[in-house]
Amino acid sequence: MKHESNDYVIRVLNSPEAVNAADWNELLDAQPNATPFMRHEYLAALHASGSAAPDTGWMPHFILLERNGALVGACALYLKPHSYGEYVFDQAWANAYAEHGLAYYPKAVVAVPFTPVPGTRLLARTAADRALLAKALIQWCDAKQLSSLHLLFADPHDLQACVAAGMMLRDTVQFHWINRSPGYADFDDFLATLTQEKRKKIRQERRKVAEAGVTFRCSLGSAITPQDWNFFYRCYERTYLEHGNAPYLNRDFFQRMADTLPENWLLFVAERQGRPIATSLIAISAIDTRAGSQNNSSNRGGIAYGRYWGALERVDCLHFEACYYQPLAWCIAHGYQRFEGGAQGEHKMARALLPVKASSAHWLAHPAFADAVARFLERETQGVGNYLDELIERSPLKKQSPS
């Protein structure tokens, strides 16, 4: 599908494979808050593996904004008949539509499927291109007579463009660990910044795992073997099945990650008596692997993302060690600036991941429902703000002495 205006063309492609990968990634690399999850390889793997594809309710429509034949704006939009795998919960809105005899689905979602990681969603050369893309999305959804458009876990530049286009903002809370500047010397140096209670708790949890005879090894990128990937998926799948759900991502997706995007993955494997018993898979912004570069300064600004975990044996506090303490120690050793712990989980504060606001933007076509949601969001935003203030008051960090 193609829409033309005076000096630009908007194209809508129904598969990521139809998008030029080099052009997409080059535009992504120019963004202020790019993440590995928006790379063409990642989005293409979701589609090609069948994890996020029409059969699972993710119908891709890649929107491209071109000027004089050059790509100046782009986003990954999906039409969806459900709200699964989004981590921004709008089921109450869908129910309200149904109660009034209106169809909420299909709806349009600009997001990375199954990935609640904040970052750029509207790829654009300039602020003007981003604003034009945001307006074009609404016009496209309106022309398709869709109920709504949702841009999830967007960065501040996206949100600014969305507000200017008439969209409403919605806030939630995530928990992120931030390295100091200059970076911590080691894990004990980091612990020294925490209150005595939190410091003692973390040491106790780590000691329980060590006394259970559990050790860890980590592998980065192409050093993750096929056997490691197979074991990881066995653990990952079991975690979902224990909760009565099928995993969102299949084994083929992770094989494609190993084949096309290995440099963005870090795997921790927990072992006991020589046997692997658990894994934690972390996504990272690509590490600088030049000689001598893995000691802090060259990776300053790097980000790690807690993503998936699973265990075949139960060990007290193993989840905390695999998903938080091992990755934090790695981030400190390699000079990474931030570790994002993912959606929800107030328990993460006790592990020194601090609360931050994550935001999304929403447009509803129906005027009366848009007004009702706007009033709801006003109340919800105030509640989220109060919650953030309460969490900040309970910070695990030592209080700074007045100078």
Side-chain angles (χ1 to χ4, degrees), residues 231-278:
F231 180 72
F232 156 75
Y233 194 78
R234 183 181 168 198
C235 294
Y236 163 78
E237 183 179 43
R238 178 166 175 169
T239 297
Y240 274 84
L241 295 178
E242 285 179 345
H243 291 87
N245 300 309
Y248 282 133
L249 302 171
N250 57 33
R251 179 65 182 87
D252 183 50
F253 167 78
F254 290 105
Q255 185 59 53
R256 292 173 186 274
M257 289 295 92
D259 293 340
T260 66
L261 212 60
E263 66 274 13
N264 292 109
W265 296 103
L266 175 68
L267 182 70
F268 293 92
V269 178
E271 298 178 329
R272 182 157 63 173
Q273 297 178 339
R275 295 178 296 102
I277 64 169

Side-chain angles (χ1 to χ4, degrees), residues 178-194:
I178 307 296
N179 205 343
R180 72 181 180 190
S181 183
Y184 296 112
D186 52 31
F187 198 84
D188 284 337
D189 188 28
F190 153 61
L191 287 182
T193 66
L194 307 183

Side-chain angles (χ1 to χ4, degrees), residues 25-335:
N25 286 338
E26 191 272 332
L27 184 58
L28 174 65
D29 289 341
Q31 305 310 302
N33 296 292
T35 72
F37 311 104
M38 280 291 289
R39 288 191 62 82
H40 187 275
E41 297 91 333
Y42 190 90
L43 298 171
L46 286 170
H47 182 78
S49 68
S51 298
D55 286 349
T56 59
W58 295 82
M59 289 159 276
H61 292 72
F62 279 61
I63 314 294
L64 307 183
L65 178 66
E66 298 174 339
R67 180 174 287 110
N68 298 323
L71 185 65
V72 298
C75 70
L77 179 147
Y78 298 87
L79 294 187
K80 296 191 64 200
H82 57 67
S83 294
Y84 299 121
E86 298 175 13
Y87 301 92
V88 175
F89 304 104
D90 63 350
Q91 287 86 346
W93 302 358
N95 291 339
Y97 268 63
E99 290 171 1
H100 288 79
L102 299 174
Y104 189 70
Y105 302 110
K107 64 176 184 176
V109 176
V110 176
V112 180
F114 321 121
T115 309
V117 174
T120 301
R121 296 291 178 264
L122 303 178
L123 312 186
R125 293 289 176 196
T126 67
D129 292 332
R130 184 172 286 106
L132 185 61
L133 183 57
K135 292 177 182 177
L137 287 174
I138 294 175
Q139 291 170 358
W140 185 82
C141 291
D142 200 26
K144 291 287 185 181
Q145 297 184 316
L146 300 176
S147 71
S148 53
L149 167 68
H150 311 267
L151 195 132
L152 308 182
F153 298 102
D155 83 346
H157 304 280
D158 295 337
L159 298 173
Q160 183 178 15
C162 289
V163 169
M167 298 181 72
M168 302 174 284
L169 299 188
R170 189 178 191 187
D171 298 332
T172 187
V173 175
Q174 292 191 348
F175 296 87
H176 299 174
W177 174 86
I178 307 296
N179 205 343
R180 72 181 180 190
S181 183
Y184 296 112
D186 52 31
F187 198 84
D188 284 337
D189 188 28
F190 153 61
L191 287 182
T193 66
L194 307 183
T195 63
Q196 192 274 339
E197 176 192 2
K198 300 304 183 188
R199 192 164 60 244
K200 179 180 178 181
K201 181 180 181 67
I202 290 175
R203 285 177 171 151
Q204 286 176 338
E205 291 176 344
R206 302 202 77 183
R207 186 162 54 248
K208 286 180 181 179
V209 176
E211 290 176 350
V214 177
T215 59
F216 280 83
R217 61 178 173 86
C218 70
S219 302
L220 173 66
S222 58
I224 304 174
T225 67
Q227 293 78 15
D228 285 338
W229 279 111
N230 286 336
F231 180 72
F232 156 75
Y233 194 78
R234 183 181 168 198
C235 294
Y236 163 78
E237 183 179 43
R238 178 166 175 169
T239 297
Y240 274 84
L241 295 178
E242 285 179 345
H243 291 87
N245 300 309
Y248 282 133
L249 302 171
N250 57 33
R251 179 65 182 87
D252 183 50
F253 167 78
F254 290 105
Q255 185 59 53
R256 292 173 186 274
M257 289 295 92
D259 293 340
T260 66
L261 212 60
E263 66 274 13
N264 292 109
W265 296 103
L266 175 68
L267 182 70
F268 293 92
V269 178
E271 298 178 329
R272 182 157 63 173
Q273 297 178 339
R275 295 178 296 102
I277 64 169
T279 60
S280 172
L281 185 63
I282 310 299
I284 61 170
S285 54
I287 193 169
D288 188 342
T289 56
R290 293 171 300 177
S293 69
Q294 294 189 31
N295 291 322
N296 285 325
S297 61
S298 63
N299 293 307
R300 174 62 53 190
I303 305 172
Y305 310 89
R307 297 305 301 129
Y308 315 108
W309 116 285
L312 303 186
E313 297 182 13
R314 298 190 183 278
V315 176
D316 194 16
C317 299
L318 179 58
H319 174 262
F320 302 139
E321 181 69 26
C323 296
Y324 306 126
Y325 305 143
Q326 288 289 324
L328 292 185
W330 187 92
C331 286
I332 291 169
H334 293 83

Side-chain angles (χ1 to χ4, degrees), residues 340-360:
E340 299 188 5
Q344 306 156 334
E346 194 174 313
H347 66 278
K348 295 169 186 172
M349 274 195 70
R351 282 87 206 170
L353 279 71
L354 303 182
V356 299
K357 184 173 68 173
S359 301
S360 301

